[in-house]
Amino acid sequence: MSETTNTPSASLPGGTWLLGDVTVTRFGYGAMQLAGPGVMGAPADRSGALAVLREAAALGITHIDTAGAYGPRVTNQLIRAALHPYPTSLHIVTKVGAVRDQQGGWIPARRPADLRRAVHENLADLGLDSLEVVNLRLGDAQGPRPGSLAEPFEALVELQGQGLIRHLGVSNATAEQVAEAQSIAPIVCVQNMYNLAHRQDDELIDELAEKGIAYVPFFPLGGFTPLQSTALSAVATRLDATPFSVALAWLLRRSPNILLIPGTSSVAHLRENVAGAGLQLSGEDLAELDKIGR
């Protein structure tokens, strides 16, 4: 939808967006960090993890991103323990297409049988009869890889026809794979790596915005290799803010179809993220930041 179609939220920065027919806050929460080290196993502080999820809901966040591979299955079970039965306003987006090995590696699992099993595990762990949005995770841990997504995506379309999935998206995808998915069935979101310094999807973001499709960037500050930028640090210092806050605020300003899912295992940090994303950036700030990735 266009920016004017989405009603701004009074309590969270960025207002809302429509994922198909599902209204979510543009500021969401990513649950990946609630699992143990390396996104494997249970958290050291289970009560703290549950508190973060409950605080996210209390703050008005209505978009929680997760995956069965986180833990594996740990974050989904935490979400259910913290928030089930879910408020009607809360919407959970999950991913399928990868599993974990014993060393914590991310192994592609995109055969139709793999995807059917993953969808049913997500349903069981989250305590749902239908998943609102399911992203097909493509590529590998190093990023997107070219190739057709027809077979796995059509398997998800079949599960959608059975009523187990409402809406579909893709993750870690090339622009060609996004186009191929759209030729098979409607998608409501694309979830790729994108931030101030990694702007390879600029054209794709603008194309998706015109079609009313959300773009959900992961690693907004570089992920496992934190973004190093004198310009970012300079703007943050000038605004008496953290670089992470500036990066989140820039993403919300970059395009109205960008949805944020920053993760944390701390209630205090969650509140800081919400406040930081509401940072007001001037035209001068934006011009300085825009130069980083260009």
Side-chain angles (χ1 to χ4, degrees):
M1 297 296 104
S2 68
E3 186 173 11
T4 56
T5 306
N6 293 276
T7 305
S9 167
S11 57
L12 289 169
T16 59
W17 185 262
L18 284 174
L19 292 175
D21 60 355
V22 176
T23 300
V24 298
T25 50
R26 288 183 65 207
F27 190 96
Y29 172 72
M32 184 175 73
Q33 292 187 30
L34 294 183
V39 202
M40 290 290 286
D45 181 4
R46 176 181 166 84
S47 62
L50 298 178
V52 170
L53 288 162
R54 291 170 181 146
E55 180 66 11
L59 289 170
I61 290 171
T62 64
H63 172 200
I64 292 181
D65 179 84
T66 185
Y70 298 164
R73 304 181 71 169
V74 168
T75 63
N76 283 352
Q77 293 167 1
L78 289 169
I79 290 168
R80 181 175 185 175
L83 300 172
H84 195 277
Y86 305 113
T88 56
S89 61
L90 184 67
H91 308 289
I92 300 170
V93 177
T94 190
K95 285 180 290 297
V96 296
V99 295
R100 311 298 298 282
D101 62 22
Q102 292 185 341
Q103 291 71 45
W106 301 80
I107 310 302
R110 294 190 284 268
R111 295 175 302 175
D114 296 328
L115 298 174
R116 286 192 292 270
R117 179 170 58 253
V119 165
H120 283 283
E121 286 179 352
N122 273 271
L123 289 167
D125 291 340
L126 290 166
L128 293 169
D129 296 322
S130 178
L131 300 170
E132 287 193 297
V133 184
V134 174
N135 285 314
L136 173 62
R137 185 184 189 276
L138 299 162
D140 55 30
Q142 281 66 54
R145 293 290 180 264
S148 175
L149 54 61
E151 183 182 34
F153 196 71
E154 287 170 356
L156 292 182
V157 172
E158 182 179 345
L159 293 169
Q160 185 181 38
Q162 297 171 13
L164 300 180
I165 301 171
R166 288 185 63 192
H167 300 293
L168 295 170
V170 292
S171 176
N172 207 30
T174 67
E176 292 75 20
Q177 289 165 337
V178 172
E180 184 182 15
Q182 291 177 278
S183 74
I184 297 170
I187 63 172
V188 300
C189 55
V190 173
Q191 188 179 112
N192 278 358
M193 180 178 176
Y194 180 83
N195 56 48
L196 275 165
H198 297 89
R199 299 183 58 177
Q200 66 285 347
D201 277 355
D202 268 336
E203 184 176 344
L204 177 61
I205 289 170
D206 295 337
E207 291 175 359
L208 294 173
E210 292 178 0
K211 298 176 181 179
I213 298 172
Y215 184 92
V216 188
F218 59 79
F219 292 162
L221 200 59
F224 301 114
T225 306
L227 174 63
Q228 300 294 320
S229 166
T230 55
L232 176 60
S233 298
V235 172
T237 299
R238 188 164 65 238
L239 297 176
D240 192 24
T242 66
F244 193 68
S245 295
V246 174
L248 292 178
W250 178 84
L251 284 168
L252 284 178
R253 289 288 300 272
R254 166 62 184 83
S255 182
N257 66 323
I258 286 183
L259 310 183
L260 302 185
I261 51 168
T264 179
S265 58
S266 159
V267 168
H269 190 211
L270 173 64
R271 293 172 181 157
E272 290 172 4
N273 286 346
V274 172
L279 194 66
Q280 297 301 307
L281 301 177
S282 68
E284 178 187 356
D285 297 330
L286 290 170
E288 191 169 349
L289 294 169
D290 281 341
K291 294 176 183 177
I292 295 173
R294 297 188 185 280

